Amino acid sequence: MSMSAPGGTIVRLHRLTMVAEDGDVMVGRPDVGSYALFPRAGAEALRMLDSGTPVSGVATWYEQTCGSPLDIDDFLAALESLRFIRAGDEDEPAAQPVRWQRLGRWMFSWPAWLCYIAVMVAAAVAMVRQPLLRPSYRDLFFTHYLSLIPLTLAAVQIPCMLLHESFHALAGRRLGLPSTLRLGRRLYFLVAETRLDALYSVPRRRRYLPFLAGMLADTILVSVLTLVAAVLKDHGVAAWMPALCLAVAFTCVLRLIWQFMLYLETDLYHVLSQALRCADLQNATRFYVRTRFLRLLRRTPAAPDADWSDRDRAIARWYAPLLVAGYGFSLGSLVWAGIPTIVRFLSLIIDRLSEPQASTVGVFDAVTFITLSSLQWGLLAYVAVRDRRARARTNSPDSSPQGVLT
């Protein structure tokens, strides 16, 4: 279809969703994850096109309603860039059924919520009665063999992260929204991400549960592991079994604490962004900070590469200190504790491997640590390179979209 469409042209659109957003309308195509905010008049023009109204009729209606002419070429070009327009011989893709939708509805039904609350209350009571069940960094040392600590915790974190992400996915799938799982990066943290771009297809109030479902999973897991540890302690089993349960529970607590680091675009960041009705708070704040810094250097700041809303720009002013402090905290922690810890481990490994009569256990400890560290940092480097290449292809900023949950 030519962009200079004749007046009688009928434009065929893909199946679109429209959700009211503070005076505007979020229009999207869930099957490809393409969304854009339209003024109400623009959304109504889309409805008219979708109902078969010719382009000339839409243009006439728009001018009579808004008092200004509609630039048809620009309007159609925008729709095509969003992949809203169907080609002349293109059929509408058949709607794909969303798997696990029934399971998602059951997982967040009222009987399930009663079970979750009962488990949490029972775990809290157990922690009050037995102080040793309360989360502590000491729980990480569940064995005297230090090499087993990172090895075991790395292995058990995989199902824990999958549980966290599955709750995100099921909370969305119960609404009929598709989702995907991938590895991502936040600063120097490697994370698992659930993409739920289709959340823009539902009203704002229905988005909060998918955002918070991962934290719910972590809280349930902490509660279950605590109760299992309490039962095992009472039955006099091997000491390492309840100790391992508490160690895994503590890693889940750390993941819950990590969600409060809003500057890393965690689940709670998405909740805050939605509650403040911001479309791209993180990028708007980054641009605001960068602009202020360049002005302090008496340099001309670059023009914004996105059309942020007035609300994004206003909220960015008070969110900026939190963003800067958060990044400073993470980088400072790396310099203060992370790097010295790595140097210490390396020195121990070198000493252990260079001993003339190194023990088999010592060599095994060293090799295990080197292997695990190499895998972790190698995977982080791979994800960083992958994301950089993806941004270069799409010319997009370094930020996760609102529909990405960790």
Side-chain angles (χ1 to χ4, degrees):
M1 184 190 66
S2 171
M3 285 296 96
S4 297
T9 298
I10 295 178
V11 176
R12 302 168 69 230
L13 301 178
H14 285 283
R15 187 182 299 109
L16 303 177
T17 61
M18 297 188 183
V19 179
E21 293 272 356
D22 297 329
D24 295 318
V25 179
M26 180 65 73
V27 182
R29 185 180 163 193
D31 59 320
V32 296
S34 179
Y35 292 86
L37 201 61
F38 281 69
R40 290 189 180 276
E44 185 59 32
L46 281 176
R47 293 189 183 95
M48 294 175 68
L49 287 175
D50 192 44
S51 66
T53 304
V55 170
S56 58
V58 174
T60 301
W61 170 86
Y62 187 91
E63 186 170 2
Q64 293 175 348
T65 303
C66 301
S68 60
L70 175 65
D71 190 325
I72 292 296
D73 287 347
D74 285 350
F75 186 59
L76 294 180
L79 297 183
E80 188 155 300
S81 67
L82 291 166
R83 293 185 288 176
F84 287 176
I85 296 179
R86 276 196 285 167
D89 57 349
E90 184 181 4
D91 293 327
E92 177 67 20
Q96 297 295 326
V98 177
R99 299 178 62 188
W100 311 113
Q101 185 172 3
R102 181 177 298 179
L103 176 61
R105 290 173 177 170
W106 182 87
M107 291 291 291
F108 296 96
S109 62
W110 67 264
W113 278 105
L114 290 178
C115 294
Y116 300 154
I117 294 172
V119 169
M120 294 176 196
V121 171
V125 171
M127 291 179 190
V128 171
R129 292 181 174 178
Q130 301 184 50
L132 290 177
L133 297 177
R134 300 170 190 173
S136 169
Y137 73 92
R138 298 181 182 86
D139 295 331
L140 294 176
F141 300 92
F142 61 90
T143 176
H144 294 295
Y145 298 100
L146 297 181
S147 61
L148 289 179
I149 295 176
L151 184 64
T152 305
L153 293 181
V156 299
Q157 284 309 298
I158 295 175
C160 290
M161 286 192 299
L162 289 178
L163 179 66
H164 176 103
E165 299 304 325
S166 69
F167 264 60
H168 281 311
L170 289 173
R173 288 180 178 242
R174 88 189 205 283
L175 302 175
L177 306 179
S179 60
T180 56
L181 178 65
R182 54 171 278 175
L183 286 177
R185 177 180 61 89
R186 296 291 187 273
L187 199 57
Y188 53 82
F189 299 99
L190 188 68
V191 297
E193 298 176 340
T194 298
R195 294 190 65 92
L196 269 172
D197 298 321
L199 277 175
Y200 287 121
S201 301
V202 299
R204 188 185 301 271
R205 60 182 176 81
R206 304 187 72 181
R207 302 172 192 168
Y208 291 108
L209 180 56
F211 286 142
L212 294 170
M215 295 183 68
L216 172 65
D218 289 334
T219 305
I220 295 170
L221 189 55
V222 170
S223 302
V224 170
L225 289 170
T226 300
L227 293 175
V228 171
V231 172
L232 293 177
K233 283 179 177 291
D234 292 341
H235 286 75
V237 299
W240 66 267
M241 296 176 66
L244 178 59
C245 290
L246 294 178
V248 178
F250 183 72
T251 63
C252 296
V253 172
L254 293 180
R255 190 158 52 246
L256 286 168
I257 295 174
W258 184 81
Q259 297 294 344
F260 287 88
M261 300 182 184
L262 305 179
Y263 56 94
L264 295 178
E265 299 177 65
T266 59
D267 298 343
L268 286 181
Y269 160 78
H270 293 294
V271 172
L272 178 66
S273 181
Q274 288 293 313
L276 293 175
R277 287 171 164 74
C278 293
D280 196 5
L281 178 60
Q282 191 82 350
N283 276 329
T285 306
R286 286 174 177 168
F287 179 80
Y288 174 79
V289 172
R290 186 164 58 248
T291 299
R292 294 295 296 269
F293 179 72
L294 291 175
R295 286 176 178 171
L296 288 176
L297 298 179
R298 299 184 182 280
R299 296 173 57 184
T300 303
D305 54 3
D307 187 17
W308 293 297
S309 67
D310 293 338
R311 188 167 185 82
D312 279 334
R313 297 175 189 274
I315 300 297
R317 293 186 177 89
W318 67 262
Y319 184 70
L322 179 61
L323 182 74
V324 174
Y327 277 115
F329 174 79
S330 292
L331 295 175
S333 298
L334 179 64
V335 173
W336 175 67
I339 294 177
T341 300
I342 293 174
V343 171
R344 176 60 177 166
F345 269 115
L346 290 177
S347 64
L348 290 173
I349 290 171
I350 293 172
D351 291 342
R352 187 165 295 179
L353 294 177
S354 60
E355 289 180 358
Q357 297 178 343
S359 65
T360 303
V361 175
V363 172
F364 177 77
D365 275 347
V367 172
T368 300
F369 180 82
I370 292 173
T371 302
L372 291 175
S373 299
S374 300
L375 288 174
Q376 178 181 356
W377 290 103
L379 188 58
L380 180 61
Y382 164 76
V383 171
V385 172
R386 181 203 66 187
D387 290 348
R388 182 175 294 274
R389 289 177 177 175
R391 290 194 301 272
R393 287 195 301 268
T394 60
N395 194 28
S396 60
D398 182 14
S399 180
S400 296
Q402 291 287 336
V404 175
L405 310 178
T406 59

